[in-house]
Amino acid sequence: ETGSVATDYIETNGAIANRYPDSSYGIWQGATNLVTNGGLETNATGWVGHGNAAISQSSTYSKFGSKSLKVISGDTGANGARFPVSISNSTTYSMGVWVYSPDAGNMDIAIWRNDFGAYVGSNTVNVSANTWTYISGAGTTDGVSPWATLLVRNLNGAIRTFYVDGLQLESGSTSTPYIETNGSTSARSAASVLTPSSILNPTQGWV
């Protein structure tokens, strides 16, 4: 790993693996998740199968809560699941989603134009088998096209079952930890740290 400090082992099995921060710990900036049903806890409202993929709410696997989206992709081209979002032109957005698949393979996430003729922020990740993998990306919409779809795709061109949870789209170029949504957008206030002034003296500073 990069850096001067050795951290705990990250399991690898044929591909590079990453560790992502647990959003229940740490100090995070304020953000709003623009995806109105990122956690699928109540239903799959808003989600649409893309290409010849079939989708449904599922309790088989979940990253957050007890539900996720089950996607059975088709065997032709890149297909998966998409979600409509309300976004603006000439604006930078970041996105992230957790994916679980019994089979390893390439998947991506991107913001697509309404007619699917162009996209921004695409990021392809080799998803490991039988573990939750985080896919994130960022991009800036242009000033003309109507951008209004988040799309998570299987790129293997073969029938594949995978699960999606914690879909998030937010303003800015950095994807932050998931903010639960269940029927509407949801926001997280900026965090801060409070400490007694008595623990610092005039010669000390923050670390």
Side-chain angles (χ1 to χ4, degrees):
E1 63 189 290
T2 58
S4 60
V5 178
T7 62
D8 292 339
Y9 172 67
I10 303 171
E11 178 65 26
T12 56
N13 185 12
I16 295 173
N18 298 302
R19 176 190 299 113
Y20 297 96
D22 183 344
S23 59
S24 61
Y25 300 93
I27 305 300
W28 305 107
Q29 66 194 52
T32 298
N33 186 357
L34 301 175
V35 177
T36 56
N37 190 11
L40 298 121
E41 290 302 301
T42 301
N43 50 46
T45 298
W47 289 89
V48 180
H50 181 74
N52 55 347
I55 64 168
S56 61
Q57 184 194 44
S58 173
S59 58
T60 303
Y61 300 101
S62 62
K63 177 64 179 178
F64 305 97
S66 61
K67 301 292 174 51
S68 66
L69 184 76
K70 180 180 180 179
V71 183
I72 304 176
S73 66
D75 58 359
T76 56
N79 53 78
R82 66 179 190 262
F83 195 92
V85 287
S86 179
I87 56 180
S88 303
N89 291 347
S90 303
T91 304
T92 299
Y93 293 96
S94 57
M95 64 206 118
V97 68
W98 288 90
V99 176
Y100 183 98
S101 175
D103 305 303
N106 289 332
M107 300 188 65
D108 76 349
I109 185 173
I111 303 171
W112 281 78
R113 201 169 66 192
N114 276 1
D115 62 2
F116 300 104
Y119 59 85
V120 296
S122 176
N123 184 28
T124 300
V125 172
N126 189 326
V127 174
S128 300
N130 298 313
T131 186
W132 283 99
T133 301
Y134 187 62
I135 307 174
S136 63
T140 301
T141 57
D142 65 28
V144 179
S145 305
W147 302 87
T149 299
L150 262 183
L151 179 57
V152 183
R153 302 187 300 170
N154 166 38
L155 301 180
N156 285 9
I159 295 176
R160 179 185 189 185
T161 299
F162 61 93
Y163 299 82
V164 173
D165 202 359
L167 180 65
Q168 179 155 304
L169 179 74
E170 59 191 295
S171 298
S173 59
T174 302
S175 179
T176 66
Y178 174 62
I179 302 168
E180 176 67 20
T181 56
N182 186 7
S184 64
T185 61
S186 184
R188 174 184 58 236
S189 299
S192 61
V193 175
L194 296 177
T195 184
S197 60
S198 58
I199 70 171
L200 299 175
N201 63 51
T203 64
Q204 291 176 313
W206 292 99
V207 176

PDB file of all heavy atoms in Angstrom, residues 27-68:
ATOM      1  N   ILE A  27     -15.273  12.023  10.663  1.00  0.00           N
ATOM      2  CA  ILE A  27     -15.782  13.377  10.500  1.00  0.00           C
ATOM      3  C   ILE A  27     -16.023  13.597   9.017  1.00  0.00           C
ATOM      4  O   ILE A  27     -15.085  13.546   8.215  1.00  0.00           O
ATOM      5  CB  ILE A  27     -14.780  14.416  11.043  1.00  0.00           C
ATOM      6  CG1 ILE A  27     -14.426  14.109  12.494  1.00  0.00           C
ATOM      7  CG2 ILE A  27     -15.359  15.818  10.912  1.00  0.00           C
ATOM      8  CD1 ILE A  27     -15.596  14.114  13.438  1.00  0.00           C
ATOM      9  N   TRP A  28     -17.293  13.839   8.647  1.00  0.00           N
ATOM     10  CA  TRP A  28     -17.629  13.938   7.232  1.00  0.00           C
ATOM     11  C   TRP A  28     -18.244  15.297   6.906  1.00  0.00           C
ATOM     12  O   TRP A  28     -18.911  15.905   7.728  1.00  0.00           O
ATOM     13  CB  TRP A  28     -18.622  12.834   6.848  1.00  0.00           C
ATOM     14  CG  TRP A  28     -18.130  11.473   7.182  1.00  0.00           C
ATOM     15  CD1 TRP A  28     -18.566  10.659   8.196  1.00  0.00           C
ATOM     16  CD2 TRP A  28     -17.069  10.771   6.553  1.00  0.00           C
ATOM     17  NE1 TRP A  28     -17.856   9.493   8.219  1.00  0.00           N
ATOM     18  CE2 TRP A  28     -16.931   9.530   7.221  1.00  0.00           C
ATOM     19  CE3 TRP A  28     -16.219  11.054   5.476  1.00  0.00           C
ATOM     20  CZ2 TRP A  28     -15.975   8.592   6.839  1.00  0.00           C
ATOM     21  CZ3 TRP A  28     -15.272  10.117   5.106  1.00  0.00           C
ATOM     22  CH2 TRP A  28     -15.161   8.901   5.792  1.00  0.00           C
ATOM     23  N   GLN A  29     -18.012  15.743   5.678  1.00  0.00           N
ATOM     24  CA  GLN A  29     -18.596  17.003   5.213  1.00  0.00           C
ATOM     25  C   GLN A  29     -20.095  16.837   5.004  1.00  0.00           C
ATOM     26  O   GLN A  29     -20.613  15.732   4.848  1.00  0.00           O
ATOM     27  CB  GLN A  29     -17.939  17.409   3.894  1.00  0.00           C
ATOM     28  CG  GLN A  29     -18.255  16.450   2.746  1.00  0.00           C
ATOM     29  CD  GLN A  29     -17.344  16.657   1.553  1.00  0.00           C
ATOM     30  OE1 GLN A  29     -16.124  16.665   1.677  1.00  0.00           O
ATOM     31  NE2 GLN A  29     -17.943  16.847   0.381  1.00  0.00           N
ATOM     32  N   GLY A  30     -20.808  17.951   5.005  1.00  0.00           N
ATOM     33  CA  GLY A  30     -22.228  17.906   4.740  1.00  0.00           C
ATOM     34  C   GLY A  30     -22.494  17.524   3.290  1.00  0.00           C
ATOM     35  O   GLY A  30     -21.716  17.847   2.396  1.00  0.00           O
ATOM     36  N   ALA A  31     -23.577  16.801   3.050  1.00  0.00           N
ATOM     37  CA  ALA A  31     -23.912  16.366   1.694  1.00  0.00           C
ATOM     38  C   ALA A  31     -25.390  16.012   1.625  1.00  0.00           C
ATOM     39  O   ALA A  31     -26.030  15.762   2.656  1.00  0.00           O
ATOM     40  CB  ALA A  31     -23.068  15.161   1.283  1.00  0.00           C
ATOM     41  N   THR A  32     -25.930  15.989   0.413  1.00  0.00           N
ATOM     42  CA  THR A  32     -27.304  15.562   0.164  1.00  0.00           C
ATOM     43  C   THR A  32     -27.295  14.452  -0.861  1.00  0.00           C
ATOM     44  O   THR A  32     -26.709  14.603  -1.945  1.00  0.00           O
ATOM     45  CB  THR A  32     -28.165  16.723  -0.353  1.00  0.00           C
ATOM     46  OG1 THR A  32     -28.236  17.751   0.636  1.00  0.00           O
ATOM     47  CG2 THR A  32     -29.572  16.253  -0.673  1.00  0.00           C
ATOM     48  N   ASN A  33     -27.927  13.325  -0.519  1.00  0.00           N
ATOM     49  CA  ASN A  33     -28.058  12.232  -1.472  1.00  0.00           C
ATOM     50  C   ASN A  33     -29.265  12.524  -2.367  1.00  0.00           C
ATOM     51  O   ASN A  33     -30.408  12.557  -1.898  1.00  0.00           O
ATOM     52  CB  ASN A  33     -28.241  10.898  -0.736  1.00  0.00           C
ATOM     53  CG  ASN A  33     -28.248   9.712  -1.686  1.00  0.00           C
ATOM     54  OD1 ASN A  33     -28.164   9.866  -2.895  1.00  0.00           O
ATOM     55  ND2 ASN A  33     -28.349   8.509  -1.128  1.00  0.00           N
ATOM     56  N   LEU A  34     -29.026  12.719  -3.648  1.00  0.00           N
ATOM     57  CA  LEU A  34     -30.080  13.075  -4.597  1.00  0.00           C
ATOM     58  C   LEU A  34     -30.857  11.868  -5.112  1.00  0.00           C
ATOM     59  O   LEU A  34     -31.845  12.028  -5.828  1.00  0.00           O
ATOM     60  CB  LEU A  34     -29.467  13.841  -5.776  1.00  0.00           C
ATOM     61  CG  LEU A  34     -28.730  15.140  -5.400  1.00  0.00           C
ATOM     62  CD1 LEU A  34     -28.074  15.743  -6.632  1.00  0.00           C
ATOM     63  CD2 LEU A  34     -29.674  16.125  -4.745  1.00  0.00           C
ATOM     64  N   VAL A  35     -30.422  10.670  -4.757  1.00  0.00           N
ATOM     65  CA  VAL A  35     -31.147   9.449  -5.120  1.00  0.00           C
ATOM     66  C   VAL A  35     -32.227   9.227  -4.067  1.00  0.00           C
ATOM     67  O   VAL A  35     -31.928   9.075  -2.889  1.00  0.00           O
ATOM     68  CB  VAL A  35     -30.208   8.233  -5.173  1.00  0.00           C
ATOM     69  CG1 VAL A  35     -30.985   6.954  -5.471  1.00  0.00           C
ATOM     70  CG2 VAL A  35     -29.118   8.456  -6.215  1.00  0.00           C
ATOM     71  N   THR A  36     -33.479   9.179  -4.470  1.00  0.00           N
ATOM     72  CA  THR A  36     -34.576   9.144  -3.503  1.00  0.00           C
ATOM     73  C   THR A  36     -34.862   7.757  -2.926  1.00  0.00           C
ATOM     74  O   THR A  36     -35.614   7.633  -1.964  1.00  0.00           O
ATOM     75  CB  THR A  36     -35.876   9.681  -4.136  1.00  0.00           C
ATOM     76  OG1 THR A  36     -36.171   8.919  -5.312  1.00  0.00           O
ATOM     77  CG2 THR A  36     -35.719  11.152  -4.511  1.00  0.00           C
ATOM     78  N   ASN A  37     -34.284   6.717  -3.504  1.00  0.00           N
ATOM     79  CA  ASN A  37     -34.500   5.365  -2.972  1.00  0.00           C
ATOM     80  C   ASN A  37     -33.206   4.567  -3.072  1.00  0.00           C
ATOM     81  O   ASN A  37     -33.150   3.519  -3.716  1.00  0.00           O
ATOM     82  CB  ASN A  37     -35.634   4.656  -3.731  1.00  0.00           C
ATOM     83  CG  ASN A  37     -36.063   3.355  -3.072  1.00  0.00           C
ATOM     84  OD1 ASN A  37     -35.678   3.045  -1.941  1.00  0.00           O
ATOM     85  ND2 ASN A  37     -36.854   2.570  -3.779  1.00  0.00           N
ATOM     86  N   GLY A  38     -32.177   5.062  -2.408  1.00  0.00           N
ATOM     87  CA  GLY A  38     -30.865   4.420  -2.499  1.00  0.00           C
ATOM     88  C   GLY A  38     -30.750   3.135  -1.706  1.00  0.00           C
ATOM     89  O   GLY A  38     -29.893   2.294  -1.990  1.00  0.00           O
ATOM     90  N   GLY A  39     -31.613   2.950  -0.678  1.00  0.00           N
ATOM     91  CA  GLY A  39     -31.489   1.788   0.194  1.00  0.00           C
ATOM     92  C   GLY A  39     -32.504   0.689  -0.035  1.00  0.00           C
ATOM     93  O   GLY A  39     -32.332  -0.417   0.486  1.00  0.00           O
ATOM     94  N   LEU A  40     -33.582   0.974  -0.765  1.00  0.00           N
ATOM     95  CA  LEU A  40     -34.589  -0.030  -1.137  1.00  0.00           C
ATOM     96  C   LEU A  40     -35.234  -0.732   0.058  1.00  0.00           C
ATOM     97  O   LEU A  40     -35.686  -1.870  -0.036  1.00  0.00           O
ATOM     98  CB  LEU A  40     -33.971  -1.087  -2.071  1.00  0.00           C
ATOM     99  CG  LEU A  40     -33.471  -0.521  -3.398  1.00  0.00           C
ATOM    100  CD1 LEU A  40     -32.002  -0.787  -3.585  1.00  0.00           C
ATOM    101  CD2 LEU A  40     -34.262  -1.134  -4.546  1.00  0.00           C
ATOM    102  N   GLU A  41     -35.300  -0.068   1.186  1.00  0.00           N
ATOM    103  CA  GLU A  41     -35.838  -0.715   2.385  1.00  0.00           C
ATOM    104  C   GLU A  41     -37.344  -0.957   2.311  1.00  0.00           C
ATOM    105  O   GLU A  41     -37.847  -1.920   2.873  1.00  0.00           O
ATOM    106  CB  GLU A  41     -35.498   0.116   3.624  1.00  0.00           C
ATOM    107  CG  GLU A  41     -34.024   0.113   3.988  1.00  0.00           C
ATOM    108  CD  GLU A  41     -33.507  -1.282   4.231  1.00  0.00           C
ATOM    109  OE1 GLU A  41     -34.035  -1.987   5.124  1.00  0.00           O
ATOM    110  OE2 GLU A  41     -32.579  -1.700   3.514  1.00  0.00           O
ATOM    111  N   THR A  42     -38.077  -0.099   1.607  1.00  0.00           N
ATOM    112  CA  THR A  42     -39.529  -0.250   1.521  1.00  0.00           C
ATOM    113  C   THR A  42     -39.955  -0.916   0.225  1.00  0.00           C
ATOM    114  O   THR A  42     -40.834  -1.792   0.222  1.00  0.00           O
ATOM    115  CB  THR A  42     -40.220   1.117   1.642  1.00  0.00           C
ATOM    116  OG1 THR A  42     -39.867   1.716   2.905  1.00  0.00           O
ATOM    117  CG2 THR A  42     -41.730   0.970   1.559  1.00  0.00           C
ATOM    118  N   ASN A  43     -39.357  -0.519  -0.886  1.00  0.00           N
ATOM    119  CA  ASN A  43     -39.723  -1.061  -2.194  1.00  0.00           C
ATOM    120  C   ASN A  43     -38.623  -0.720  -3.195  1.00  0.00           C
ATOM    121  O   ASN A  43     -37.580  -0.179  -2.821  1.00  0.00           O
ATOM    122  CB  ASN A  43     -41.075  -0.501  -2.650  1.00  0.00           C
ATOM    123  CG  ASN A  43     -41.127   1.022  -2.541  1.00  0.00           C
ATOM    124  OD1 ASN A  43     -40.203   1.713  -2.955  1.00  0.00           O
ATOM    125  ND2 ASN A  43     -42.204   1.545  -1.956  1.00  0.00           N
ATOM    126  N   ALA A  44     -38.866  -1.029  -4.461  1.00  0.00           N
ATOM    127  CA  ALA A  44     -37.905  -0.732  -5.527  1.00  0.00           C
ATOM    128  C   ALA A  44     -38.386   0.413  -6.403  1.00  0.00           C
ATOM    129  O   ALA A  44     -37.977   0.528  -7.566  1.00  0.00           O
ATOM    130  CB  ALA A  44     -37.654  -1.973  -6.377  1.00  0.00           C
ATOM    131  N   THR A  45     -39.240   1.271  -5.847  1.00  0.00           N
ATOM    132  CA  THR A  45     -39.791   2.392  -6.605  1.00  0.00           C
ATOM    133  C   THR A  45     -38.684   3.266  -7.195  1.00  0.00           C
ATOM    134  O   THR A  45     -37.733   3.643  -6.500  1.00  0.00           O
ATOM    135  CB  THR A  45     -40.694   3.250  -5.706  1.00  0.00           C
ATOM    136  OG1 THR A  45     -41.793   2.459  -5.258  1.00  0.00           O
ATOM    137  CG2 THR A  45     -41.220   4.461  -6.456  1.00  0.00           C
ATOM    138  N   GLY A  46     -38.820   3.589  -8.457  1.00  0.00           N
ATOM    139  CA  GLY A  46     -37.859   4.442  -9.141  1.00  0.00           C
ATOM    140  C   GLY A  46     -36.821   3.674  -9.931  1.00  0.00           C
ATOM    141  O   GLY A  46     -36.288   4.176 -10.920  1.00  0.00           O
ATOM    142  N   TRP A  47     -36.505   2.467  -9.509  1.00  0.00           N
ATOM    143  CA  TRP A  47     -35.503   1.657 -10.196  1.00  0.00           C
ATOM    144  C   TRP A  47     -36.088   1.053 -11.471  1.00  0.00           C
ATOM    145  O   TRP A  47     -37.237   0.633 -11.506  1.00  0.00           O
ATOM    146  CB  TRP A  47     -35.001   0.548  -9.284  1.00  0.00           C
ATOM    147  CG  TRP A  47     -34.137   1.034  -8.157  1.00  0.00           C
ATOM    148  CD1 TRP A  47     -34.560   1.439  -6.927  1.00  0.00           C
ATOM    149  CD2 TRP A  47     -32.724   1.167  -8.162  1.00  0.00           C
ATOM    150  NE1 TRP A  47     -33.489   1.822  -6.153  1.00  0.00           N
ATOM    151  CE2 TRP A  47     -32.341   1.662  -6.898  1.00  0.00           C
ATOM    152  CE3 TRP A  47     -31.728   0.911  -9.111  1.00  0.00           C
ATOM    153  CZ2 TRP A  47     -31.024   1.902  -6.544  1.00  0.00           C
ATOM    154  CZ3 TRP A  47     -30.397   1.148  -8.765  1.00  0.00           C
ATOM    155  CH2 TRP A  47     -30.068   1.641  -7.503  1.00  0.00           C
ATOM    156  N   VAL A  48     -35.255   0.982 -12.507  1.00  0.00           N
ATOM    157  CA  VAL A  48     -35.680   0.435 -13.791  1.00  0.00           C
ATOM    158  C   VAL A  48     -34.585  -0.491 -14.312  1.00  0.00           C
ATOM    159  O   VAL A  48     -33.394  -0.169 -14.234  1.00  0.00           O
ATOM    160  CB  VAL A  48     -35.929   1.557 -14.827  1.00  0.00           C
ATOM    161  CG1 VAL A  48     -36.369   0.973 -16.164  1.00  0.00           C
ATOM    162  CG2 VAL A  48     -36.959   2.552 -14.302  1.00  0.00           C
ATOM    163  N   GLY A  49     -34.977  -1.639 -14.849  1.00  0.00           N
ATOM    164  CA  GLY A  49     -34.004  -2.505 -15.488  1.00  0.00           C
ATOM    165  C   GLY A  49     -33.507  -1.874 -16.782  1.00  0.00           C
ATOM    166  O   GLY A  49     -34.281  -1.285 -17.533  1.00  0.00           O
ATOM    167  N   HIS A  50     -32.214  -1.977 -17.029  1.00  0.00           N
ATOM    168  CA  HIS A  50     -31.621  -1.391 -18.233  1.00  0.00           C
ATOM    169  C   HIS A  50     -31.226  -2.501 -19.199  1.00  0.00           C
ATOM    170  O   HIS A  50     -30.652  -3.508 -18.803  1.00  0.00           O
ATOM    171  CB  HIS A  50     -30.401  -0.552 -17.871  1.00  0.00           C
ATOM    172  CG  HIS A  50     -29.759   0.102 -19.051  1.00  0.00           C
ATOM    173  ND1 HIS A  50     -30.314   1.186 -19.684  1.00  0.00           N
ATOM    174  CD2 HIS A  50     -28.615  -0.183 -19.732  1.00  0.00           C
ATOM    175  CE1 HIS A  50     -29.538   1.567 -20.687  1.00  0.00           C
ATOM    176  NE2 HIS A  50     -28.503   0.738 -20.741  1.00  0.00           N
ATOM    177  N   GLY A  51     -31.527  -2.302 -20.477  1.00  0.00           N
ATOM    178  CA  GLY A  51     -31.282  -3.359 -21.444  1.00  0.00           C
ATOM    179  C   GLY A  51     -32.302  -4.468 -21.230  1.00  0.00           C
ATOM    180  O   GLY A  51     -33.490  -4.214 -21.057  1.00  0.00           O
ATOM    181  N   ASN A  52     -31.845  -5.701 -21.199  1.00  0.00           N
ATOM    182  CA  ASN A  52     -32.770  -6.810 -20.958  1.00  0.00           C
ATOM    183  C   ASN A  52     -32.595  -7.392 -19.553  1.00  0.00           C
ATOM    184  O   ASN A  52     -32.811  -8.579 -19.322  1.00  0.00           O
ATOM    185  CB  ASN A  52     -32.602  -7.907 -22.014  1.00  0.00           C
ATOM    186  CG  ASN A  52     -31.170  -8.411 -22.115  1.00  0.00           C
ATOM    187  OD1 ASN A  52     -30.251  -7.806 -21.585  1.00  0.00           O
ATOM    188  ND2 ASN A  52     -30.983  -9.520 -22.818  1.00  0.00           N
ATOM    189  N   ALA A  53     -32.231  -6.536 -18.595  1.00  0.00           N
ATOM    190  CA  ALA A  53     -32.065  -6.972 -17.211  1.00  0.00           C
ATOM    191  C   ALA A  53     -33.401  -6.963 -16.476  1.00  0.00           C
ATOM    192  O   ALA A  53     -34.267  -6.135 -16.737  1.00  0.00           O
ATOM    193  CB  ALA A  53     -31.068  -6.074 -16.489  1.00  0.00           C
ATOM    194  N   ALA A  54     -33.549  -7.892 -15.531  1.00  0.00           N
ATOM    195  CA  ALA A  54     -34.734  -7.957 -14.666  1.00  0.00           C
ATOM    196  C   ALA A  54     -34.328  -7.547 -13.260  1.00  0.00           C
ATOM    197  O   ALA A  54     -33.263  -7.941 -12.767  1.00  0.00           O
ATOM    198  CB  ALA A  54     -35.305  -9.373 -14.654  1.00  0.00           C
ATOM    199  N   ILE A  55     -35.156  -6.731 -12.586  1.00  0.00           N
ATOM    200  CA  ILE A  55     -34.813  -6.240 -11.252  1.00  0.00           C
ATOM    201  C   ILE A  55     -35.947  -6.505 -10.271  1.00  0.00           C
ATOM    202  O   ILE A  55     -37.105  -6.621 -10.653  1.00  0.00           O
ATOM    203  CB  ILE A  55     -34.494  -4.727 -11.274  1.00  0.00           C
ATOM    204  CG1 ILE A  55     -35.741  -3.926 -11.676  1.00  0.00           C
ATOM    205  CG2 ILE A  55     -33.336  -4.425 -12.204  1.00  0.00           C
ATOM    206  CD1 ILE A  55     -35.600  -2.437 -11.436  1.00  0.00           C
ATOM    207  N   SER A  56     -35.590  -6.585  -8.973  1.00  0.00           N
ATOM    208  CA  SER A  56     -36.588  -6.742  -7.914  1.00  0.00           C
ATOM    209  C   SER A  56     -35.945  -6.426  -6.576  1.00  0.00           C
ATOM    210  O   SER A  56     -34.729  -6.530  -6.410  1.00  0.00           O
ATOM    211  CB  SER A  56     -37.146  -8.171  -7.888  1.00  0.00           C
ATOM    212  OG  SER A  56     -36.107  -9.112  -7.639  1.00  0.00           O
ATOM    213  N   GLN A  57     -36.760  -6.011  -5.615  1.00  0.00           N
ATOM    214  CA  GLN A  57     -36.276  -5.828  -4.250  1.00  0.00           C
ATOM    215  C   GLN A  57     -35.934  -7.195  -3.674  1.00  0.00           C
ATOM    216  O   GLN A  57     -36.610  -8.184  -3.938  1.00  0.00           O
ATOM    217  CB  GLN A  57     -37.340  -5.150  -3.397  1.00  0.00           C
ATOM    218  CG  GLN A  57     -36.894  -4.821  -1.972  1.00  0.00           C
ATOM    219  CD  GLN A  57     -38.070  -4.481  -1.077  1.00  0.00           C
ATOM    220  OE1 GLN A  57     -39.090  -5.163  -1.103  1.00  0.00           O
ATOM    221  NE2 GLN A  57     -37.951  -3.417  -0.294  1.00  0.00           N
ATOM    222  N   SER A  58     -34.867  -7.253  -2.858  1.00  0.00           N
ATOM    223  CA  SER A  58     -34.421  -8.541  -2.330  1.00  0.00           C
ATOM    224  C   SER A  58     -33.932  -8.403  -0.886  1.00  0.00           C
ATOM    225  O   SER A  58     -33.414  -7.361  -0.491  1.00  0.00           O
ATOM    226  CB  SER A  58     -33.276  -9.092  -3.194  1.00  0.00           C
ATOM    227  OG  SER A  58     -32.719 -10.263  -2.628  1.00  0.00           O
ATOM    228  N   SER A  59     -34.108  -9.472  -0.120  1.00  0.00           N
ATOM    229  CA  SER A  59     -33.571  -9.530   1.241  1.00  0.00           C
ATOM    230  C   SER A  59     -32.469 -10.582   1.343  1.00  0.00           C
ATOM    231  O   SER A  59     -32.034 -10.933   2.443  1.00  0.00           O
ATOM    232  CB  SER A  59     -34.693  -9.857   2.238  1.00  0.00           C
ATOM    233  OG  SER A  59     -35.327 -11.086   1.901  1.00  0.00           O
ATOM    234  N   THR A  60     -31.986 -11.096   0.226  1.00  0.00           N
ATOM    235  CA  THR A  60     -30.937 -12.126   0.228  1.00  0.00           C
ATOM    236  C   THR A  60     -29.622 -11.564   0.733  1.00  0.00           C
ATOM    237  O   THR A  60     -28.942 -12.175   1.558  1.00  0.00           O
ATOM    238  CB  THR A  60     -30.751 -12.698  -1.191  1.00  0.00           C
ATOM    239  OG1 THR A  60     -31.992 -13.211  -1.666  1.00  0.00           O
ATOM    240  CG2 THR A  60     -29.715 -13.824  -1.182  1.00  0.00           C
ATOM    241  N   TYR A  61     -29.228 -10.403   0.224  1.00  0.00           N
ATOM    242  CA  TYR A  61     -28.008  -9.722   0.656  1.00  0.00           C
ATOM    243  C   TYR A  61     -28.339  -8.245   0.864  1.00  0.00           C
ATOM    244  O   TYR A  61     -29.213  -7.696   0.193  1.00  0.00           O
ATOM    245  CB  TYR A  61     -26.896  -9.838  -0.387  1.00  0.00           C
ATOM    246  CG  TYR A  61     -26.474 -11.243  -0.707  1.00  0.00           C
ATOM    247  CD1 TYR A  61     -26.924 -11.872  -1.870  1.00  0.00           C
ATOM    248  CD2 TYR A  61     -25.621 -11.945   0.130  1.00  0.00           C
ATOM    249  CE1 TYR A  61     -26.540 -13.164  -2.184  1.00  0.00           C
ATOM    250  CE2 TYR A  61     -25.226 -13.240  -0.168  1.00  0.00           C
ATOM    251  CZ  TYR A  61     -25.687 -13.846  -1.321  1.00  0.00           C
ATOM    252  OH  TYR A  61     -25.312 -15.124  -1.618  1.00  0.00           O
ATOM    253  N   SER A  62     -27.626  -7.607   1.772  1.00  0.00           N
ATOM    254  CA  SER A  62     -27.785  -6.158   1.962  1.00  0.00           C
ATOM    255  C   SER A  62     -26.516  -5.593   2.570  1.00  0.00           C
ATOM    256  O   SER A  62     -25.854  -6.236   3.382  1.00  0.00           O
ATOM    257  CB  SER A  62     -28.982  -5.841   2.865  1.00  0.00           C
ATOM    258  OG  SER A  62     -28.792  -6.395   4.151  1.00  0.00           O
ATOM    259  N   LYS A  63     -26.173  -4.409   2.156  1.00  0.00           N
ATOM    260  CA  LYS A  63     -25.029  -3.677   2.738  1.00  0.00           C
ATOM    261  C   LYS A  63     -25.514  -2.758   3.840  1.00  0.00           C
ATOM    262  O   LYS A  63     -24.858  -2.584   4.857  1.00  0.00           O
ATOM    263  CB  LYS A  63     -24.317  -2.868   1.638  1.00  0.00           C
ATOM    264  CG  LYS A  63     -23.167  -2.008   2.137  1.00  0.00           C
ATOM    265  CD  LYS A  63     -22.044  -2.847   2.708  1.00  0.00           C
ATOM    266  CE  LYS A  63     -20.885  -1.955   3.177  1.00  0.00           C
ATOM    267  NZ  LYS A  63     -19.797  -2.747   3.788  1.00  0.00           N
ATOM    268  N   PHE A  64     -26.674  -2.134   3.632  1.00  0.00           N
ATOM    269  CA  PHE A  64     -27.290  -1.248   4.617  1.00  0.00           C
ATOM    270  C   PHE A  64     -28.706  -1.744   4.874  1.00  0.00           C
ATOM    271  O   PHE A  64     -29.416  -2.107   3.946  1.00  0.00           O
ATOM    272  CB  PHE A  64     -27.319   0.193   4.119  1.00  0.00           C
ATOM    273  CG  PHE A  64     -25.978   0.728   3.707  1.00  0.00           C
ATOM    274  CD1 PHE A  64     -25.596   0.723   2.373  1.00  0.00           C
ATOM    275  CD2 PHE A  64     -25.094   1.225   4.646  1.00  0.00           C
ATOM    276  CE1 PHE A  64     -24.356   1.210   1.985  1.00  0.00           C
ATOM    277  CE2 PHE A  64     -23.845   1.705   4.271  1.00  0.00           C
ATOM    278  CZ  PHE A  64     -23.476   1.698   2.933  1.00  0.00           C
ATOM    279  N   GLY A  65     -29.148  -1.746   6.111  1.00  0.00           N
ATOM    280  CA  GLY A  65     -30.493  -2.205   6.419  1.00  0.00           C
ATOM    281  C   GLY A  65     -30.646  -3.688   6.122  1.00  0.00           C
ATOM    282  O   GLY A  65     -29.738  -4.490   6.357  1.00  0.00           O
ATOM    283  N   SER A  66     -31.798  -4.065   5.557  1.00  0.00           N
ATOM    284  CA  SER A  66     -32.070  -5.486   5.304  1.00  0.00           C
ATOM    285  C   SER A  66     -32.455  -5.785   3.860  1.00  0.00           C
ATOM    286  O   SER A  66     -32.771  -6.923   3.536  1.00  0.00           O
ATOM    287  CB  SER A  66     -33.205  -5.964   6.219  1.00  0.00           C
ATOM    288  OG  SER A  66     -34.395  -5.228   5.967  1.00  0.00           O
ATOM    289  N   LYS A  67     -32.415  -4.778   2.968  1.00  0.00           N
ATOM    290  CA  LYS A  67     -32.860  -4.986   1.587  1.00  0.00           C
ATOM    291  C   LYS A  67     -31.816  -4.450   0.603  1.00  0.00           C
ATOM    292  O   LYS A  67     -30.960  -3.625   0.946  1.00  0.00           O
ATOM    293  CB  LYS A  67     -34.193  -4.279   1.336  1.00  0.00           C
ATOM    294  CG  LYS A  67     -35.331  -4.733   2.246  1.00  0.00           C
ATOM    295  CD  LYS A  67     -35.761  -6.148   1.956  1.00  0.00           C
ATOM    296  CE  LYS A  67     -36.778  -6.662   2.948  1.00  0.00           C
ATOM    297  NZ  LYS A  67     -37.937  -5.802   3.156  1.00  0.00           N
ATOM    298  N   SER A  68     -31.926  -4.925  -0.625  1.00  0.00           N
ATOM    299  CA  SER A  68     -31.101  -4.432  -1.717  1.00  0.00           C
ATOM    300  C   SER A  68     -31.867  -4.637  -3.019  1.00  0.00           C
ATOM    301  O   SER A  68     -32.998  -5.140  -3.008  1.00  0.00           O
ATOM    302  CB  SER A  68     -29.747  -5.161  -1.766  1.00  0.00           C
ATOM    303  OG  SER A  68     -29.929  -6.526  -2.101  1.00  0.00           O
TER     304      SER A  68
END
